[in-house]
Amino acid sequence: MAIREQVPKPLRGPAGFTSLAVMLLGIVVGYILITTGVTLFFDLHPIEQGAISNTEALSVTAVGIVSLVVGYLGWKGFTYFAY
């Protein structure tokens, strides 16, 4: 039995819209974090030189990638519950 069949019909719509919200939030936050991480890594920021290490910049980028993956899973959840 699929998960979609275990979720009651009245809750499938809200589950789909919640997944859509997770997708949008994950993509927006992921894009911002990846852009910020790359900017920090290549020292293209107005912050004092040496204030942020490359390890910290790569960790910001990694969190952004994880956020994009969560956004993708939100999209998959939306398509699963919407149809």
Side-chain angles (χ1 to χ4, degrees), residues 16-30 67-79:
F17 285 119
T18 302
S19 296
L20 186 63
V22 167
M23 178 204 67
L24 290 173
L25 188 65
I27 289 174
V28 169
V29 170
S67 180
L68 279 180
V69 169
V70 169
Y72 174 74
L73 293 176
W75 170 251
K76 295 299 282 184
F78 172 70
T79 59

